[in-house]
Amino acid sequence: MKKLKYLIGLFTLLLLLMACAEADEKDTVKVGIRSSELKTWAYIKEQASEEGINLELVTFSAQYDPNQALAEGEVDINAFQHVAYLNLFNTNNNSDLQAIGTTIMAPIGLYSNKYKSLDDIKEGAKIAVPNDPSNWGRALLLLQEHGLLTVTDDFDGNGGEDRIKDNPKNLIILPVDGATTPRVMEDADFAIINNGVAVEAGLLLKDAIIHESETAKPFINVIVAKAEDKNNDILKKIVEIYQRDETGKFIKEVSNGNYIPVKLPLDELATWKDFYSY
């Protein structure tokens, strides 16, 4: 009888261990991020743990696109890109990755080691811009917003030398690898730098001569998942944690004001599906 009770107890323990293992596996979510987002996601990981969700943070270098990792199942979600970039990836790769929640606005800005204001932008000034299509176009829109040039009538958000209609100051636009823009400031007069790259280079948004506002909707960052996972309750919970007021306060503090927390409904995101999808 004792042996039977022992076997029953052992069998019960094994079932419990198996159930726990399955729960742990079910509630573990791999998140693809860039290093500039590590502090924020370490905070999210801590908050998610209190909700019974284990986050595994997978950091990707600039040489590897976290969207590719998501499409290939290396991660469950990613959080590094804006809506326009996501649209571009889906168009170019015939994929259907979907935004499941907004995160932050990470404004690009115009920086210089030599000058302090727009008044310093003279005839023929050299301005370095990121050379990837979405951010090159984004840079042109920023310059247009401040009256420095005009994009073509059929502008679709894609950067290129042929996308400039009017250039009254004959500005010299220098497309360079986005990761090198801070270093290029030594040779150019100005550089338009992505927010994450600026942060890694020790630059603050307040150092920018001009920068985007949070109304640049297609450039609001999002958490992204595969289409079949968009209604996953665990992923929805992660989005909810990210969009809490407490998280927003943490992001503003840890980013020194570089990031602007943004919370928008998914149905509004859907209206941007074809916006700058190239």
Side-chain angles (χ1 to χ4, degrees):
M1 181 63 71
K2 289 184 178 180
K3 185 176 181 180
L4 179 59
K5 289 182 178 179
Y6 172 78
L7 290 175
I8 292 174
L10 181 60
F11 182 69
T12 302
L13 178 60
L14 287 173
L15 287 177
L16 288 172
L17 290 174
M18 289 174 64
C20 289
E22 290 176 358
D24 286 343
E25 182 178 353
K26 178 182 178 182
D27 292 351
T28 295
V29 178
K30 291 185 178 180
V31 186
I33 60 173
R34 300 287 195 202
S35 59
S36 58
E37 292 285 329
L38 188 55
K39 290 181 179 178
T40 294
W41 278 95
Y43 175 86
I44 300 295
K45 179 177 181 177
E46 182 179 334
Q47 301 305 308
S49 178
E50 296 178 3
E51 305 281 350
I53 302 171
N54 178 44
L55 297 187
E56 180 180 338
L57 307 183
V58 183
T59 306
F60 293 97
S61 68
Q63 286 68 45
Y64 191 72
D65 192 332
N67 277 336
Q68 197 64 45
L70 177 58
E72 294 175 359
E74 295 179 29
V75 295
D76 301 302
I77 57 175
N78 67 40
F80 77 101
Q81 66 193 310
H82 50 63
V83 175
Y85 186 97
L86 172 62
N87 290 344
L88 174 62
F89 181 88
N90 280 333
T91 298
N92 288 346
N93 294 276
N94 194 29
S95 57
D96 189 25
L97 303 182
Q98 296 193 9
I100 60 172
T102 57
T103 57
I104 57 172
M105 179 69 194
I108 63 170
L110 179 74
Y111 297 83
S112 177
N113 286 337
K114 306 169 185 176
Y115 305 106
K116 300 295 183 183
S117 75
L118 286 180
D119 294 335
D120 295 322
I121 301 180
K122 306 301 183 183
E123 178 86 11
K126 296 179 180 179
I127 303 179
V129 301
N131 64 2
D132 64 282
S134 64
N135 286 308
W136 189 345
R138 191 176 176 183
L140 295 181
L141 287 176
L142 178 64
L143 294 175
Q144 176 176 259
E145 181 182 350
H146 291 272
L148 296 170
L149 54 77
T150 304
V151 299
T152 56
D153 295 336
D154 60 349
F155 183 73
D156 59 3
N158 195 357
E161 295 178 2
D162 60 342
R163 303 307 172 110
I164 299 175
K165 179 180 180 181
D166 297 310
N167 186 358
K169 289 181 176 290
N170 294 311
L171 302 175
I172 300 174
I173 305 299
L174 305 172
V176 301
D177 185 288
T180 70
T181 43
R183 296 195 297 274
V184 175
M185 281 198 295
E186 298 300 323
D187 300 314
D189 298 303
F190 303 87
I192 292 181
I193 306 177
N194 284 20
N195 194 289
V197 175
V199 170
E200 292 176 358
L203 296 170
L204 300 178
L205 191 61
K206 65 182 181 180
D207 298 324
I209 296 171
I210 55 174
H211 63 75
E212 292 172 319
S213 67
E214 59 187 289
T215 59
K217 292 182 177 180
F219 307 120
I220 289 174
N221 283 21
V222 287
I223 297 173
V224 176
K226 290 183 178 180
E228 60 265 32
D229 295 328
K230 65 179 182 180
N231 294 317
N232 181 288
D233 289 337
I234 294 176
L235 301 187
K236 287 182 177 181
K237 187 64 178 181
I238 294 171
V239 172
E240 187 271 321
I241 293 171
Y242 197 110
Q243 294 181 344
R244 289 175 182 170
D245 291 342
E246 294 81 1
T247 303
K249 291 177 182 177
F250 176 85
I251 290 171
K252 289 179 181 178
E253 180 178 346
V254 78
S255 72
N256 292 310
N258 276 19
Y259 298 156
I260 304 171
V262 177
K263 181 179 179 180
L264 289 172
L266 284 177
D267 56 356
E268 184 167 349
L269 285 184
T271 65
W272 310 340
K273 184 173 179 57
D274 297 320
F275 196 97
Y276 293 161
S277 58
Y278 314 107

